[in-house]
Amino acid sequence: MTDPVFFAPSRLYTAGEVANLTGANLVDSSHADIAIQALAPANEGGNGALVFVDGKRNFALMHSLRAAAVLCPADFAGKAPQGIAVLVHPRPQQAFAMVGRLLFPQAATPGPMTAETGISPHAHIDPSAHVEIGAIVEAGAVIGPDVSIGAGTVIAPHAVIGRSCKIGRDGYIGPNASIQYALIGNRVIIHGGARIGQDGFGFVGGAKGPERVPQIGRVIIQDDVEIGSNSTVDRGAMSDTVIGQGTKIDNLVQIAHNVRIGRNCIIAGLSGISGSVTVGDNVTMGGGVGLADHLTIGPGAKLAARSGFMSNVPAGEVWGGYPAQPMAEALREIAMLRRFAKSRKQGDGNG
């Protein structure tokens, strides 16, 4: 378990409470009063810790658990050591995350970095800006003309909110983030160093070299979106760049102008999405994915890490490789190349 110097549990929970909250089945009711005060990985555990075990490759961890309680699937339940509360759940990791949010609410949603509440006297707020009661604007933050910030939203130190931007309620704008030409919904989390609404990369050839195309669109970020540290979202050229409700974007992701991303997508770090790409709902992108411009990624598609895309991906399909193609085809080609390389090597040896 980690040292609770930064994150202390909100209170103790019992195994019985965890069962009721998550819908898990407590195998032995005599363990209902076992106290849970920490989270830990299954290979570490510790006194008072809740762990989870899921997936066949982790089954062996059940025999050596050291924990107060374990969340696991039904077919693992009989393998836990004596004295550990066994909580059977069809999706142990999801239940574990729910308990984590209850135990450590301050880790689930970013909060103020200082002890200040309300508007810091060391923040710069234009007189025409409207900051609702209950918002927090920390020292060094800059709020431009005609900005609107909703109640419960935190603007961290040295964040900059540009003219006429609108930010909803119960959100978070991290330290040194900058927001321009953007309309942002409720409960949106934008981590430190992110850049939202800067120029898209728009140039045309001219007599003296590349000439800038004015970028006059906006960024629209819908409710419950999260954008990681040092990620960038360019504003649209003439239409808007849109991030759909519930989408989660990792650190160091580049989203170019006019991109439209659907709802509940997951985009892992170091991915880059070129201009005018359309991404459907519930798409998952692994780390380092690259998308050429003007592509369409169908709803529910899964894009493998480190893959490069130069053609559209149909809804629900799994693609990968470089250039990317349906995963089954990519794996067949890799297998053929390996067999060919092996045969050449054996042939050279026989020569």
Side-chain angles (χ1 to χ4, degrees), residues 47-273:
N47 294 331
L50 174 69
V51 303
F52 80 93
V53 179
D54 197 8
K56 292 182 180 179
R57 64 181 178 180
N58 296 316
F59 177 76
L61 294 173
M62 292 294 295
H63 301 278
S64 57
L65 286 179
R66 296 184 307 108
V70 58
L71 283 156
C72 65
D75 53 346
F76 286 22
K79 300 300 180 180
Q82 292 292 320
I84 294 178
V86 177
L87 297 150
V88 171
H89 195 280
R91 300 182 67 184
Q93 186 173 14
Q94 183 184 58
F96 183 81
M98 178 184 177
V99 177
R101 292 192 297 271
L102 294 170
L103 264 175
F104 302 101
Q106 70 275 33
T109 302
M113 299 192 70
T114 67
E116 292 178 306
T117 59
I119 298 173
S120 170
H122 303 293
H124 173 81
I125 300 179
D126 189 272
S128 64
H130 176 66
V131 180
E132 288 187 345
I133 295 172
I136 297 174
V137 181
E138 298 191 81
V142 176
I143 310 298
D146 299 315
V147 167
S148 176
I149 297 172
T153 289
V154 176
I155 309 298
H158 301 287
V160 178
I161 315 299
R163 177 175 59 83
S164 299
C165 289
K166 312 299 179 188
I167 300 173
R169 294 174 175 167
D170 299 316
Y172 177 81
I173 308 299
N176 294 302
S178 65
I179 313 293
Q180 306 175 72
Y181 310 103
L183 305 178
I184 297 174
N186 299 318
R187 299 174 302 279
V188 170
I189 296 172
I190 297 176
H191 289 280
R195 300 287 182 252
I196 311 297
Q198 63 285 332
D199 279 12
F201 193 65
F203 295 91
V204 294
K208 297 182 179 179
E211 296 179 350
R212 182 179 298 277
V213 176
Q215 308 287 291
I216 59 175
R218 307 170 297 179
V219 174
I220 310 295
I221 299 177
Q222 297 177 358
D223 294 346
D224 301 305
V225 167
E226 184 161 347
I227 297 176
S229 298
N230 297 318
S231 288
T232 56
V233 182
D234 296 344
R235 69 177 183 268
M238 284 169 282
S239 58
D240 295 326
T241 301
V242 179
I243 311 296
Q245 181 176 358
T247 285
K248 313 301 182 187
I249 298 170
D250 198 0
N251 304 331
L252 297 168
V253 171
Q254 157 65 8
I255 297 172
H257 58 191
N258 304 334
V259 168
R260 291 179 173 264
I261 296 175
R263 295 169 294 181
N264 300 317
C265 296
I266 296 175
I267 302 174
L270 298 176
S271 294
I273 303 178

Side-chain angles (χ1 to χ4, degrees), residues 255-319:
I255 297 172
H257 58 191
N258 304 334
V259 168
R260 291 179 173 264
I261 296 175
R263 295 169 294 181
N264 300 317
C265 296
I266 296 175
I267 302 174
L270 298 176
S271 294
I273 303 178
S274 299
S276 301
V277 167
T278 298
V279 178
D281 297 342
N282 302 301
V283 168
T284 300
M285 296 186 196
V289 163
L291 298 175
D293 58 284
H294 292 85
L295 297 183
T296 297
I297 309 300
K302 293 179 171 58
L303 313 186
R306 304 300 295 173
S307 298
F309 290 79
M310 288 171 272
S311 57
N312 298 334
V313 177
E317 294 196 3
V318 181
W319 280 41

